[in-house]
Amino acid sequence: MADTSKNGGEKGDFMMKAATFIVDRRNLFFLLFGIAIIFSVISMNWVKVENALSAYLPETTETRQGMDLMEGQFITYGTAQVMVANIPYEEAERIAEELEALDTVIMLSFDETKEHYNNFSALYDVTFGYEETDERALQALEQVEEMLSGYDVYVSTGMGDASAEQIASEMQVISLLVAVVVVTVLLLTSQTWAEVPVLLLTFVAAALITKGTNFCMGTISFVSNSVTIVLQLALSIDYAVIFCNRYKEEHQTLSIREADIVALSKAIPEISSSSLTTIGGLVAMMFMQFGIGRDMALCLIRGIFLSLLSVFLLMPGLIMLFGKAMDRTRHKSFIPKIPFVGKFAYRTRYVMPPLFVALIVGAYLISSKCPYVYGYSELETPVKSDAMVVDEMIEESFGASNMVALVVPAGNYEKEKQLLKELDARPEVDYTMGLANTEAMDGYMLTDKLTAREFSELLELDYEVAEVLYMAYAVNDENYAKIINGLSTYSVPLIDIFMFLYDEVQEGYVTLEDDMMETLEDAHSQMQIALDQLQGEEYSRMLVYLNLPEEGDETFGFLEEMHKIAGKYYEGSILIPGEATSQYDLYKTFQTDNTVVNVVSILAVLVVLLFTFMSAGMPVLLILIIQGAIWVNFSFPALQQKNLFFMSYLIVSSIQMGANIDYAIVISGRFMELKDKMSKRDAIIETMNFAFPTIVTSGSMLALAGIFIGRMSSDGAICGIGQCLGRGTIISIVIVMFVLPQILLLGEKIIDKTSFAVSIPLKLERTSGLMRVDGLVQGQINGAIIGELHGFVRGDASLFVNMGRLEQREDDGGDLETIQKREEEKVTQ
């Protein structure tokens, strides 16, 4: 027992010394945080944001492999769909001619079919002469929009960051509203007006530093960039509130400085322990195959860590700064006592637990049928972005387009032709596009083989010139047999002989007349564009337009069928990248991620709770409560048959498990502390009165933050996270307020029996005179005392020391207040 007391004492001394250093060196920490904030304001501009969800797919998925391969093998030019409404067909034709005449436009698709002209609206498929990542492609699009400024024009394009800019704009408004909510909640739950700026300055510093350190991750997802700060506020504001309440409690008997030091020494282990459940839930996201989980988890964990540093290092100095103002601005608490909740819990303790069990069983069964989707096409959001409005207008007039790329080994045009022909015959395919079925001129396809005579007739070229050209091609192709046996039957793919002729002309080996040269230049330009997009050094690319939605069992099944069809013609790697494949890959990763996230989040929180309560029963009970709330949460979209983006479930279930369980911990911890000191009825009433301010402060912020995000974001993923988080937090609050108390009343004996806390033999300390008492003690004192748990006693004491120490001191006869001040001065030094 002596050793234990000594260790406990040393730990207490260390915390006191650390807290004293932080409070007394507050100007140093003000300087450090000021430097960090200035740096962060500058470094915010260094953050790179990834706007494509597919970029976070595992490298083993078909989409990632296809994207990486296409990036190295092909050139993807900037494209846009331009719809001009309310014009006759003659006007649409004239506009097409003007667009085609632009130097920046290298390809334009428009005809009189319903795919391009319908309901007095024209749809132009425009391809620009620059890669889609080239800034000049956006400038070319601006030129088109300026040219058509007198018409009703609607543009749909994947170029640029228009959607990211809109999301950023929306999140600025959401952040402002959340800030208003936070200030309002803090004002209503405060006991002194001046504590509000202390809490806000603490959080703003943490938020700015979090935002500024995002660049350390290199690139972060648009989801993390959008919601991390809002969620950081909602998740970590508790830490500042806990410390502030500790300070106010200590300040009832101690001066500002001493109360600040003692409160900080107690708050550091308490808040650190509290943060572990939240971090444990977030850690589960790092085990997702889908990389956006790891990205978001790292951002939020870093945000929570920086919030802890801000509370531990900056807030003590702010309390010293605002301490006197806090004393002058005290006011009556606006949070009422809620004894009726405790009374209701006691009266319904035999009713609510079985009802809750029935509820969560039903919720589990219903939530398992939640309609998850893996792309944005089947999602509805309360707010629609400009891009979404345009896409809907185009789809309404011209139908939806679902295109996938088919990437196969290059080098065999005949196989490509047969493959495209078989795919075109399938009812699931609208049409295909590849070198083998793209018309060059006069009915010939780009890859059709022509003899020298056929080529000369096609271009009205002298046969002798064509024959010489074919002979040179055969030599270049090392096909000497054709030169020896004659060239009359020697045939060469049209695109190959065309490109060879162009090279020969450029090198001066062949001279053509002006009109022939103009024809050759135009043909070469178009063929080079086709080659850039459809043929690489090792692979060929074909575009397949499907008559199927972007996702669904039928679509996913046909993607597998396409692999089988292509496999009949090609050996080796066959890839089908596209939006539909991306969603199929997400669907397959979700099947694993769903299980992993649930198991890891439960295990992580379970470990923390085991060491917090030293009981096997309590962690299981609390996890069941929050897991039940999660099942109830995701029963709503199932009952409403409202599609839910799969990522919303993975992220929100982790956050709900890690953060909302804190509400249950507050109630459970307080009840277990009081149940042996008073009747069970009084204990649960007192517990609910104690826990309500904490739960309403933290819960209302998180719930309202989620609701605002869910109601005001046009992005399907972000919107889904907000809606589920807001609804889930409200459900968790209701359950921990109106179900957990009854379960605690019924299960407290089981919790006690499953406790594995080690009972340490108590040592009875008997002494007299002046003594210092630190820690949790039980017994009798005959004499005078001053202090709270940590204080001096003069008299006779007979005490059991549960935790801490009792030290005999020399008595110089001075009064206890003078002795205590002298002791505090020693600690300061």
Side-chain angles (χ1 to χ4, degrees):
M1 180 62 211
D3 291 339
T4 303
S5 300
K6 183 180 178 181
N7 291 339
E10 288 176 356
K11 184 176 180 182
D13 282 348
F14 173 77
M15 283 298 175
M16 285 291 289
K17 289 177 181 178
T20 303
F21 176 81
I22 292 170
V23 171
D24 289 345
R25 299 293 185 272
R26 54 189 175 275
N27 290 332
L28 169 64
F29 291 107
F30 286 156
L31 176 62
L32 294 176
F33 272 86
I35 294 171
I37 290 170
I38 293 171
F39 174 80
S40 297
V41 171
I42 298 171
S43 63
M44 286 179 192
N45 300 318
W46 304 346
V47 180
K48 296 180 181 178
V49 179
E50 175 58 65
N51 296 310
L53 289 175
S54 56
Y56 291 92
L57 283 165
E59 293 184 0
T60 54
T61 57
E62 186 172 6
T63 301
R64 278 296 300 275
Q65 291 177 358
M67 289 170 56
D68 294 342
L69 189 148
M70 289 193 300
E71 185 176 346
Q73 292 278 318
F74 310 105
I75 294 176
T76 301
Y77 289 101
T79 61
Q81 285 189 310
V82 180
M83 186 177 93
V84 182
N86 305 314
I87 56 172
Y89 181 73
E90 293 75 17
E91 183 75 4
E93 279 189 313
R94 188 185 64 78
I95 291 174
E97 292 173 0
E98 291 180 1
L99 289 173
E100 208 163 13
L102 292 174
D103 293 337
T104 54
V105 175
I106 58 173
M107 191 181 298
L108 181 80
S109 297
F110 177 78
D111 53 40
E112 59 185 0
T113 62
K114 284 190 174 183
E115 283 76 19
H116 289 285
Y117 186 81
N118 192 32
N119 295 331
F120 293 98
S121 295
L123 182 65
Y124 306 97
D125 291 317
V126 183
T127 302
F128 301 102
Y130 310 101
E131 293 188 48
E132 62 180 355
T133 55
D134 194 325
E135 188 66 28
R136 290 175 296 178
L138 284 173
Q139 294 172 359
L141 179 58
E142 291 174 3
Q143 182 184 10
V144 169
E145 291 176 323
E146 185 177 343
M147 190 185 84
L148 301 174
S149 58
Y151 298 91
D152 294 333
V153 180
Y154 306 92
V155 178
S156 175
T157 181
M159 299 187 300
D161 296 323
S163 59
E165 291 171 2
Q166 177 145 356
I167 291 172
S169 175
E170 292 168 354
M171 290 310 300
Q172 287 178 356
V173 176
I174 292 170
S175 299
L176 181 61
L177 288 173
V178 170
V180 172
V181 168
V182 168
V183 173
T184 304
V185 171
L186 291 178
L187 286 172
L188 292 176
T189 57
S190 67
Q191 294 175 330
T192 168
W193 300 122
E195 74 185 60
V196 176
V198 172
L199 297 172
L200 291 178
L201 288 171
T202 300
F203 174 74
V204 168
L208 288 174
I209 297 173
T210 299
K211 193 85 172 171
T213 53
N214 280 338
F215 80 94
C216 297
M217 296 181 63
T219 301
I220 64 172
S221 71
F222 71 96
V223 179
S224 300
N225 188 56
S226 301
V227 302
T228 295
I229 297 301
V230 176
L231 292 182
Q232 180 190 359
L233 165 63
L235 291 174
S236 60
I237 193 69
D238 277 357
Y239 311 146
V241 172
I242 290 172
F243 178 35
C244 187
N245 289 340
R246 270 290 183 189
Y247 164 76
K248 288 183 290 187
E249 183 180 335
E250 299 293 340
H251 190 40
Q252 291 176 6
T253 57
L254 298 174
S255 65
I256 293 175
R257 175 180 171 278
E258 283 70 29
D260 200 3
I261 292 171
V262 174
L264 181 59
S265 68
K266 295 178 180 179
I268 290 175
E270 182 181 351
I271 294 172
S272 299
S273 176
S274 174
S275 69
L276 290 178
T277 54
T278 303
I279 293 173
L282 296 174
V283 164
M285 293 163 56
M286 298 179 65
F287 287 83
M288 290 167 54
Q289 294 182 78
F290 189 37
I292 207 164
R294 180 176 180 274
D295 178 84
M296 195 165 182
L298 288 175
C299 285
L300 283 172
I301 290 172
R302 177 164 43 83
I304 289 173
F305 177 71
L306 290 170
S307 295
L308 290 173
L309 286 181
S310 188
V311 169
F312 295 157
L313 302 180
L314 177 63
M315 190 171 169
L318 293 174
I319 287 177
M320 292 297 295
L321 206 60
F322 286 85
K324 292 182 179 179
M326 290 171 68
D327 292 341
R328 291 194 302 267
T329 58
R330 292 182 182 276
H331 62 82
K332 185 179 179 181
S333 174
F334 299 112
I335 302 297
K337 299 288 185 181
I338 52 168
F340 64 90
V341 175
K343 293 176 182 178
F344 171 80
Y346 191 78
R347 286 197 301 267
T348 60
R349 63 190 182 280
Y350 298 111
V351 177
M352 294 303 291
L355 288 179
F356 177 68
V357 171
L359 173 67
I360 63 174
V361 170
Y364 170 74
L365 295 174
I366 295 171
S367 64
S368 64
K369 295 179 172 58
C370 188
Y372 297 111
V373 294
Y374 307 91
Y376 285 6
S377 61
E378 302 295 325
L379 288 175
E380 293 183 4
T381 56
V383 178
K384 293 182 179 179
S385 65
D386 296 339
M388 292 168 67
V389 172
V390 169
D391 289 341
E392 286 181 2
M393 292 182 67
I394 293 176
E395 184 176 340
E396 184 179 347
S397 295
F398 301 99
S401 176
N402 181 13
M403 185 270 288
V404 295
L406 176 56
V407 181
V408 298
N412 194 318
Y413 293 143
E414 189 59 34
K415 286 183 179 180
E416 182 178 325
K417 182 177 181 179
Q418 293 299 318
L419 174 56
L420 290 172
K421 184 177 180 181
E422 182 170 349
L423 288 173
D424 276 324
R426 294 294 298 250
E428 297 91 345
V429 176
D430 185 11
Y431 66 96
T432 62
M433 183 185 300
L435 290 178
N437 66 356
T438 298
E439 184 176 354
M441 56 181 64
D442 293 350
Y444 286 110
M445 301 301 161
L446 286 172
T447 61
D448 285 351
K449 289 186 174 183
L450 277 68
T451 62
R453 183 161 300 280
E454 289 169 333
F455 184 70
S456 68
E457 292 172 355
L458 176 65
L459 287 186
E460 298 180 355
L461 184 69
D462 288 342
Y463 177 68
E464 290 77 9
V465 176
E467 195 172 36
V468 171
L469 179 67
Y470 268 61
M471 186 178 296
Y473 184 90
V475 171
N476 187 68
D477 198 36
E478 297 184 353
N479 199 334
Y480 302 110
K482 291 298 181 183
I483 302 173
I484 298 171
N485 298 328
L487 293 169
S488 58
T489 60
Y490 182 39
S491 59
V492 178
L494 176 59
I495 190 169
D496 292 348
I497 194 66
F498 240 114
M499 302 304 286
F500 183 73
L501 173 58
Y502 181 81
D503 291 340
E504 293 294 291
V505 170
Q506 292 298 309
E507 292 176 10
Y509 298 129
V510 177
T511 303
L512 300 176
E513 296 179 0
D514 290 344
D515 57 342
M516 182 68 68
M517 190 62 199
E518 185 177 348
T519 301
L520 180 63
E521 290 279 3
D522 291 342
H524 173 268
S525 177
Q526 295 301 313
M527 290 181 184
Q528 187 61 55
I529 292 169
L531 286 172
D532 289 342
Q533 298 185 89
L534 300 175
Q535 183 170 288
E537 293 182 5
E538 300 170 334
Y539 289 88
S540 291
R541 176 166 63 174
M542 293 162 266
L543 307 181
V544 183
Y545 292 83
L546 304 176
N547 291 319
L548 299 170
E550 286 187 351
E551 67 176 283
D553 292 339
E554 186 180 5
T555 304
F556 297 159
F558 186 66
L559 291 174
E560 297 287 356
E561 185 68 18
M562 283 181 64
H563 273 284
K564 294 178 183 178
I565 294 171
K568 294 190 297 185
Y569 299 93
Y570 294 93
E571 295 180 357
S573 179
I574 297 171
L575 299 170
I576 310 177
E579 191 61 37
T581 306
S582 173
Q583 293 173 28
Y584 189 27
D585 286 334
L586 291 172
Y587 164 77
K588 289 185 286 188
T589 61
F590 178 63
Q591 308 310 305
T592 303
D593 286 346
N594 186 17
T595 303
V596 170
V597 168
N598 285 333
V599 171
V600 173
S601 63
I602 289 173
L603 288 177
V605 173
L606 180 64
V607 169
V608 175
L609 294 181
L610 280 172
F611 287 98
T612 300
F613 289 100
M614 293 295 181
S615 167
M618 181 67 85
V620 173
L621 187 151
L622 297 187
I623 287 174
L624 182 63
I625 288 287
I626 300 303
Q627 186 60 56
I630 293 172
W631 287 332
V632 173
N633 185 15
F634 289 97
S635 295
F636 278 80
L639 291 171
Q640 297 168 343
Q641 282 302 294
K642 183 179 179 182
N643 291 337
L644 177 69
F645 195 57
F646 80 103
M647 190 175 70
S648 302
Y649 172 79
L650 294 173
I651 291 174
V652 172
S653 61
S654 297
I655 293 175
Q656 196 173 345
M657 177 59 73
N660 292 176
I661 205 166
D662 282 348
Y663 313 151
I665 292 173
V666 170
I667 293 175
S668 303
R670 188 67 170 183
F671 175 73
M672 297 304 291
E673 181 183 336
L674 297 177
K675 69 182 180 66
D676 295 327
K677 300 179 180 178
M678 58 186 73
S679 69
K680 301 293 185 293
R681 180 179 180 276
D682 292 341
I684 202 66
I685 292 173
E686 178 61 29
T687 294
M688 299 314 294
N689 284 334
F690 168 81
F692 182 62
T694 301
I695 294 174
V696 76
T697 302
S698 175
S700 60
M701 290 181 189
L702 188 57
L704 289 171
I707 290 170
F708 284 138
I709 293 172
R711 296 297 303 173
M712 300 180 67
S713 177
S714 61
D715 182 85
I718 295 173
C719 173
I721 291 172
Q723 289 174 343
C724 295
L725 187 60
R727 182 178 62 238
T729 301
I730 293 171
I731 291 170
S732 296
I733 291 173
V734 171
I735 289 177
V736 299
M737 291 288 292
F738 296 100
V739 177
L740 177 60
Q742 291 89 327
I743 293 177
L744 288 173
L745 285 166
L746 278 187
E748 52 100 7
K749 290 183 179 178
I750 298 175
I751 295 169
D752 286 340
K753 288 181 179 179
T754 57
S755 173
F756 53 83
V758 178
S759 298
I760 301 175
L762 299 181
K763 179 182 177 182
L764 180 62
E765 301 274 1
R766 289 190 178 93
T767 186
S768 62
L770 180 66
M771 66 204 80
R772 169 87 189 195
V773 180
D774 286 285
L776 180 62
V777 298
Q778 182 180 356
Q780 296 179 342
I781 295 177
N782 180 22
I785 182 171
I786 184 170
E788 182 179 338
L789 291 180
H790 303 274
F792 289 89
V793 174
R794 176 182 284 136
D796 298 322
S798 179
L799 300 172
F800 284 105
V801 182
N802 292 341
M803 182 175 66
R805 61 182 177 174
L806 187 152
E807 295 179 346
Q808 188 77 31
R809 297 292 178 90
E810 279 190 27
D811 191 352
D812 59 3
D815 62 88
L816 291 183
E817 188 173 352
T818 302
I819 293 172
Q820 184 183 26
K821 287 182 179 178
R822 191 163 59 233
E823 184 76 13
E824 289 171 355
E825 289 174 359
K826 289 181 182 179
V827 172
T828 303
Q829 294 171 357

